[in-house]
Amino acid sequence: MNTDLELTVEVAAPPDTIFRAMSDWERQSEWIFGTTVKVVEGDGKSVGSEIDAVTFGVSDRMRITRWDPPHAVEVLHLGKVVKGTGVFAVRGSRFVWSESLDVPFFYPVVKPLFVLMLRRSLQRFARFAEGYR
């Protein structure tokens, strides 16, 4: 089953600051609920680098397929549960999170909670990025 998702949040910060904040992988736990992220291959700031995001015990390993500061990072989800592509983009003062995922059969049941958590995480991201150093 495939699903597309795009969420946006306004951020009162310059595009380069938004980009640096969104791609500070190890600090994503400060704004994404229940998630820890670490770089597991490469430097995390170039094509081919891999990161692993563990959310409530579920691993989501991603390979960076496009690194275009301060505009976008595209990833390929490599996990057993989460597969597909994602784009983290900066458009002016907006942070845009887009996913095109091959989701498990139970996704329709968890989608409302997943989207709610992601919206709240993006609100937290806006505050995180506005104070990012």
Side-chain angles (χ1 to χ4, degrees), residues 6-12 18 31 89-97 118-127 129-130:
E6 182 173 294
L7 297 170
T8 303
V9 66
E10 290 288 327
V11 182
I18 299 170
W31 57 273
V90 179
R91 296 187 188 133
S93 62
R94 290 179 296 139
F95 171 49
V96 182
W97 180 311
L118 192 49
R119 283 188 197 285
R120 294 246 171 104
S121 292
L122 290 182
Q123 291 167 351
R124 288 174 57 166
F125 173 77
R127 291 188 301 275
E130 288 162 2

Short mmCIF file of all heavy atoms in Angstrom, two decimals, residues 6-12 18 31 89-97 118-127 129-130:
data_model
loop_
_atom_site.label_atom_id
_atom_site.label_comp_id
_atom_site.label_asym_id
_atom_site.label_seq_id
_atom_site.Cartn_x
_atom_site.Cartn_y
_atom_site.Cartn_z
N GLU A 6 2.44 15.26 2.94
CA GLU A 6 3.24 16.49 2.95
C GLU A 6 2.71 17.40 4.04
O GLU A 6 1.51 17.69 4.08
CB GLU A 6 3.19 17.19 1.60
CG GLU A 6 4.05 18.45 1.59
CD GLU A 6 4.16 19.11 0.24
OE1 GLU A 6 4.76 18.48 -0.67
OE2 GLU A 6 3.65 20.23 0.08
N LEU A 7 3.61 17.81 4.92
CA LEU A 7 3.26 18.74 6.00
C LEU A 7 4.25 19.90 5.97
O LEU A 7 5.42 19.73 5.63
CB LEU A 7 3.33 18.03 7.35
CG LEU A 7 2.36 16.88 7.54
CD1 LEU A 7 2.69 16.11 8.81
CD2 LEU A 7 0.93 17.38 7.60
N THR A 8 3.75 21.08 6.34
CA THR A 8 4.54 22.30 6.27
C THR A 8 4.39 23.08 7.57
O THR A 8 3.33 23.07 8.18
CB THR A 8 4.04 23.18 5.10
OG1 THR A 8 4.12 22.42 3.91
CG2 THR A 8 4.87 24.43 4.96
N VAL A 9 5.47 23.77 7.96
CA VAL A 9 5.41 24.67 9.10
C VAL A 9 6.20 25.94 8.77
O VAL A 9 7.24 25.87 8.11
CB VAL A 9 5.94 24.00 10.39
CG1 VAL A 9 7.43 23.70 10.31
CG2 VAL A 9 5.62 24.82 11.62
N GLU A 10 5.65 27.07 9.19
CA GLU A 10 6.35 28.35 9.03
C GLU A 10 7.40 28.46 10.15
O GLU A 10 7.12 28.12 11.30
CB GLU A 10 5.37 29.51 9.15
CG GLU A 10 4.43 29.65 7.98
CD GLU A 10 5.11 30.15 6.71
OE1 GLU A 10 6.07 30.94 6.80
OE2 GLU A 10 4.66 29.72 5.63
N VAL A 11 8.57 28.97 9.79
CA VAL A 11 9.67 29.12 10.74
C VAL A 11 10.22 30.53 10.63
O VAL A 11 10.56 30.98 9.53
CB VAL A 11 10.79 28.09 10.47
CG1 VAL A 11 11.90 28.22 11.50
CG2 VAL A 11 10.24 26.67 10.44
N ALA A 12 10.32 31.22 11.75
CA ALA A 12 10.86 32.58 11.77
C ALA A 12 12.38 32.51 11.88
O ALA A 12 12.98 32.84 12.91
CB ALA A 12 10.26 33.37 12.93
N ILE A 18 17.27 27.20 8.94
CA ILE A 18 16.27 26.13 8.90
C ILE A 18 16.91 24.85 8.37
O ILE A 18 16.72 23.77 8.94
CB ILE A 18 15.05 26.54 8.04
CG1 ILE A 18 14.36 27.77 8.62
CG2 ILE A 18 14.06 25.37 7.92
CD1 ILE A 18 13.31 28.38 7.70
N TRP A 31 13.05 17.49 18.81
CA TRP A 31 11.79 17.98 18.26
C TRP A 31 10.88 16.90 17.68
O TRP A 31 9.67 17.14 17.53
CB TRP A 31 12.02 19.11 17.26
CG TRP A 31 12.91 18.79 16.09
CD1 TRP A 31 14.27 18.89 16.04
CD2 TRP A 31 12.50 18.36 14.79
NE1 TRP A 31 14.73 18.53 14.79
CE2 TRP A 31 13.66 18.21 14.00
CE3 TRP A 31 11.26 18.08 14.20
CZ2 TRP A 31 13.63 17.79 12.67
CZ3 TRP A 31 11.22 17.67 12.88
CH2 TRP A 31 12.40 17.53 12.13
N ALA A 89 12.55 19.81 2.92
CA ALA A 89 12.86 20.96 2.08
C ALA A 89 12.63 22.27 2.82
O ALA A 89 11.81 22.35 3.73
CB ALA A 89 12.01 20.93 0.82
N VAL A 90 13.37 23.29 2.39
CA VAL A 90 13.19 24.65 2.88
C VAL A 90 12.72 25.48 1.70
O VAL A 90 13.41 25.55 0.67
CB VAL A 90 14.50 25.22 3.45
CG1 VAL A 90 14.28 26.64 3.95
CG2 VAL A 90 15.04 24.33 4.56
N ARG A 91 11.55 26.07 1.85
CA ARG A 91 11.00 26.94 0.81
C ARG A 91 10.71 28.29 1.44
O ARG A 91 9.69 28.46 2.11
CB ARG A 91 9.73 26.33 0.22
CG ARG A 91 9.99 25.02 -0.49
CD ARG A 91 8.77 24.51 -1.22
NE ARG A 91 9.04 23.16 -1.71
CZ ARG A 91 8.21 22.15 -1.57
NH1 ARG A 91 7.04 22.31 -0.98
NH2 ARG A 91 8.53 20.96 -2.04
N GLY A 92 11.66 29.20 1.29
CA GLY A 92 11.54 30.50 1.95
C GLY A 92 11.62 30.32 3.45
O GLY A 92 12.61 29.82 3.98
N SER A 93 10.54 30.69 4.14
CA SER A 93 10.51 30.53 5.59
C SER A 93 9.71 29.31 6.02
O SER A 93 9.32 29.19 7.17
CB SER A 93 9.91 31.78 6.24
OG SER A 93 8.56 31.94 5.81
N ARG A 94 9.50 28.38 5.09
CA ARG A 94 8.74 27.17 5.41
C ARG A 94 9.63 25.94 5.37
O ARG A 94 10.48 25.81 4.50
CB ARG A 94 7.58 26.98 4.42
CG ARG A 94 6.49 28.01 4.58
CD ARG A 94 5.38 27.81 3.57
NE ARG A 94 5.93 28.02 2.23
CZ ARG A 94 5.61 27.27 1.18
NH1 ARG A 94 4.75 26.29 1.26
NH2 ARG A 94 6.15 27.53 0.00
N PHE A 95 9.39 25.05 6.33
CA PHE A 95 9.99 23.73 6.33
C PHE A 95 8.92 22.77 5.84
O PHE A 95 7.80 22.76 6.37
CB PHE A 95 10.46 23.37 7.75
CG PHE A 95 10.90 21.93 7.92
CD1 PHE A 95 11.79 21.35 7.05
CD2 PHE A 95 10.43 21.18 8.98
CE1 PHE A 95 12.21 20.03 7.22
CE2 PHE A 95 10.85 19.87 9.18
CZ PHE A 95 11.74 19.29 8.29
N VAL A 96 9.25 21.99 4.81
CA VAL A 96 8.29 21.07 4.21
C VAL A 96 8.81 19.64 4.37
O VAL A 96 9.93 19.33 3.97
CB VAL A 96 8.07 21.38 2.72
CG1 VAL A 96 7.04 20.44 2.11
CG2 VAL A 96 7.66 22.84 2.53
N TRP A 97 7.98 18.78 4.95
CA TRP A 97 8.29 17.37 5.14
C TRP A 97 7.38 16.59 4.21
O TRP A 97 6.16 16.60 4.36
CB TRP A 97 8.02 17.00 6.59
CG TRP A 97 8.27 15.60 7.00
CD1 TRP A 97 7.86 14.45 6.38
CD2 TRP A 97 8.98 15.16 8.16
NE1 TRP A 97 8.25 13.35 7.08
CE2 TRP A 97 8.95 13.76 8.18
CE3 TRP A 97 9.61 15.84 9.18
CZ2 TRP A 97 9.53 13.01 9.18
CZ3 TRP A 97 10.21 15.09 10.20
CH2 TRP A 97 10.17 13.69 10.18
N LEU A 118 3.33 13.99 13.93
CA LEU A 118 4.22 14.69 13.02
C LEU A 118 3.91 16.19 12.99
O LEU A 118 4.83 17.01 13.00
CB LEU A 118 4.11 14.09 11.62
CG LEU A 118 5.16 14.51 10.60
CD1 LEU A 118 6.57 14.38 11.15
CD2 LEU A 118 5.00 13.69 9.34
N ARG A 119 2.64 16.57 13.00
CA ARG A 119 2.28 17.99 13.05
C ARG A 119 2.83 18.65 14.32
O ARG A 119 3.39 19.75 14.27
CB ARG A 119 0.76 18.17 13.01
CG ARG A 119 0.16 17.98 11.66
CD ARG A 119 -1.33 18.36 11.67
NE ARG A 119 -2.03 17.84 10.54
CZ ARG A 119 -1.95 18.32 9.30
NH1 ARG A 119 -1.19 19.36 9.06
NH2 ARG A 119 -2.63 17.78 8.32
N ARG A 120 2.67 17.98 15.44
CA ARG A 120 3.20 18.52 16.70
C ARG A 120 4.72 18.62 16.65
O ARG A 120 5.32 19.56 17.16
CB ARG A 120 2.75 17.66 17.88
CG ARG A 120 1.25 17.72 18.08
CD ARG A 120 0.90 18.40 19.40
NE ARG A 120 -0.51 18.64 19.50
CZ ARG A 120 -1.35 17.94 20.24
NH1 ARG A 120 -0.92 16.92 20.94
NH2 ARG A 120 -2.62 18.27 20.28
N SER A 121 5.35 17.60 16.06
CA SER A 121 6.81 17.62 15.93
C SER A 121 7.26 18.80 15.08
O SER A 121 8.26 19.46 15.39
CB SER A 121 7.32 16.31 15.33
OG SER A 121 7.13 15.24 16.23
N LEU A 122 6.52 19.11 14.02
CA LEU A 122 6.89 20.24 13.18
C LEU A 122 6.71 21.56 13.92
O LEU A 122 7.50 22.49 13.73
CB LEU A 122 6.08 20.23 11.88
CG LEU A 122 6.44 19.11 10.90
CD1 LEU A 122 5.62 19.24 9.63
CD2 LEU A 122 7.92 19.07 10.60
N GLN A 123 5.70 21.66 14.76
CA GLN A 123 5.55 22.86 15.59
C GLN A 123 6.75 23.00 16.53
O GLN A 123 7.29 24.09 16.72
CB GLN A 123 4.25 22.80 16.39
CG GLN A 123 3.02 22.92 15.53
CD GLN A 123 1.74 22.57 16.27
OE1 GLN A 123 1.76 22.06 17.39
NE2 GLN A 123 0.61 22.82 15.63
N ARG A 124 7.17 21.87 17.10
CA ARG A 124 8.36 21.88 17.95
C ARG A 124 9.60 22.24 17.14
O ARG A 124 10.50 22.93 17.62
CB ARG A 124 8.55 20.52 18.63
CG ARG A 124 7.54 20.27 19.72
CD ARG A 124 7.63 18.88 20.29
NE ARG A 124 8.96 18.56 20.81
CZ ARG A 124 9.21 17.53 21.57
NH1 ARG A 124 8.24 16.70 21.94
NH2 ARG A 124 10.43 17.30 22.00
N PHE A 125 9.65 21.75 15.88
CA PHE A 125 10.79 22.08 15.02
C PHE A 125 10.89 23.58 14.81
O PHE A 125 11.99 24.15 14.83
CB PHE A 125 10.70 21.37 13.66
CG PHE A 125 11.77 21.86 12.72
CD1 PHE A 125 13.07 21.41 12.87
CD2 PHE A 125 11.50 22.81 11.76
CE1 PHE A 125 14.09 21.89 12.05
CE2 PHE A 125 12.50 23.30 10.93
CZ PHE A 125 13.79 22.84 11.07
N ALA A 126 9.75 24.23 14.57
CA ALA A 126 9.78 25.68 14.33
C ALA A 126 10.45 26.39 15.51
O ALA A 126 11.34 27.24 15.30
CB ALA A 126 8.36 26.21 14.10
N ARG A 127 10.08 26.03 16.72
CA ARG A 127 10.71 26.65 17.90
C ARG A 127 12.18 26.28 17.99
O ARG A 127 13.03 27.12 18.32
CB ARG A 127 9.96 26.25 19.17
CG ARG A 127 8.55 26.86 19.25
CD ARG A 127 7.89 26.64 20.58
NE ARG A 127 7.72 25.25 20.95
CZ ARG A 127 6.70 24.47 20.57
NH1 ARG A 127 5.76 24.95 19.78
NH2 ARG A 127 6.63 23.22 20.99
N ALA A 129 14.24 25.49 15.48
CA ALA A 129 15.01 26.17 14.43
C ALA A 129 15.14 27.66 14.72
O ALA A 129 16.17 28.25 14.40
CB ALA A 129 14.34 25.93 13.07
N GLU A 130 14.10 28.25 15.29
CA GLU A 130 14.14 29.69 15.58
C GLU A 130 15.22 30.02 16.61
O GLU A 130 15.76 31.12 16.60
CB GLU A 130 12.77 30.18 16.02
CG GLU A 130 11.79 30.21 14.86
CD GLU A 130 10.32 30.27 15.24
OE1 GLU A 130 10.01 30.31 16.47
OE2 GLU A 130 9.48 30.25 14.33
#
